[in-house]
Amino acid sequence: MTATVVLLNGVGSVGKGSVAKALQEVTREPFLHVAMDAFLDMLPPAYWDHDEGLRFVPRSLDGETAIEVTSGAVSERLLAGMRLAVRALAEAGNNVIVDEVAERAAMAEYERLLAPFRLYRVALMAPLAVLEERERARGDRMLGLARWQVAHLHEGQRYDLEVDTSAMTPLQCAEKIRAAFGL
């Protein structure tokens, strides 16, 4: 049996983790949840806001402060390893839900690595005002991350399905994804 990979791509605070957990509840077969944040938590603390790790750069966007995240060599290797880990899980016969903030280059790498498997690319989206309110409510995100990402993340990307997480609960989003792909 060929493994299935559902790649949930979206900006911070769009609800990727909540939708992934709900999707695990509604699929007929078991799916593992691979979260980008779990991999980023592997970085040594010294590599947060570091040129070789992740750097958080304030920018002005539409007259507001936005936070651009740039990756150095250490974090790039980590994220490349994440993509290889997803492939290894699929090669072992596991179905996988990936919760990721994948720009075009990362998405192209997923497509190349996961070509032997069923790959469904799902864009999770929400209006900026909703994302910024979620950032404030969470309290564990830098305000302005969503503003930068929403302006850039989905540009030039191809998806099999787009889901607005502001219009549905995580469970409703999961049901929509399950139904779209017969999971």
Side-chain angles (χ1 to χ4, degrees), residues 11 18 44 48 55 91 112 118 146 151 156 165 167 171:
V11 306
S18 298
W48 285 86
R55 174 75 66 190
E91 283 177 336
R112 186 184 69 75
R118 284 185 300 271
T165 65
L171 185 57

Side-chain angles (χ1 to χ4, degrees), residues 30-46:
F31 275 77
L32 305 178
H33 174 203
V34 175
M36 179 185 199
D37 285 350
F39 276 78
L40 292 177
D41 284 344
M42 294 179 195
L43 277 175

Side-chain angles (χ1 to χ4, degrees), residues 2-44:
T2 300
T4 299
V5 178
V6 178
L7 178 54
L8 303 177
N9 195 33
V11 306
S13 301
V14 77
K16 296 179 300 293
S18 298
V19 172
K21 287 176 182 18
L23 190 55
Q24 285 181 304
E25 293 178 18
V26 300
T27 56
R28 286 190 307 271
E29 296 179 14
F31 275 77
L32 305 178
H33 174 203
V34 175
M36 179 185 199
D37 285 350
F39 276 78
L40 292 177
D41 284 344
M42 294 179 195
L43 277 175

Side-chain angles (χ1 to χ4, degrees), residues 17 26 34 84 96-97 134 140 142 144:
V26 300
V34 175
L84 289 168
V96 183
I97 301 164
R134 289 177 182 173
D140 66 348
M142 293 177 73

Side-chain angles (χ1 to χ4, degrees), residues 40-79:
L40 292 177
D41 284 344
M42 294 179 195
L43 277 175
Y47 284 84
W48 285 86
D49 214 21
H50 184 283
D51 287 341
E52 292 295 309
L54 293 174
R55 174 75 66 190
F56 302 92
V57 183
R59 303 274 190 221
S60 178
L61 186 64
D62 300 326
E64 300 284 338
T65 299
I67 305 296
E68 179 183 8
V69 180
T70 61
S71 295
V74 173
S75 59
E76 285 297 322
R77 285 194 307 267
L78 170 65
L79 295 173

Side-chain angles (χ1 to χ4, degrees), residues 4-9 15-16 18-24 26-27 31 97-98 120-124 160-165 168-183:
T4 299
V5 178
V6 178
L7 178 54
L8 303 177
N9 195 33
K16 296 179 300 293
S18 298
V19 172
K21 287 176 182 18
L23 190 55
Q24 285 181 304
V26 300
T27 56
F31 275 77
I97 301 164
V98 181
Y120 299 113
R121 297 158 304 202
V122 180
L124 296 185
D160 301 303
L161 180 67
E162 294 183 6
V163 178
D164 181 349
T165 65
M168 297 180 280
T169 67
L171 185 57
Q172 290 169 326
C173 293
E175 288 288 358
K176 182 174 182 170
I177 294 165
R178 183 198 56 74
F181 306 125
L183 305 174

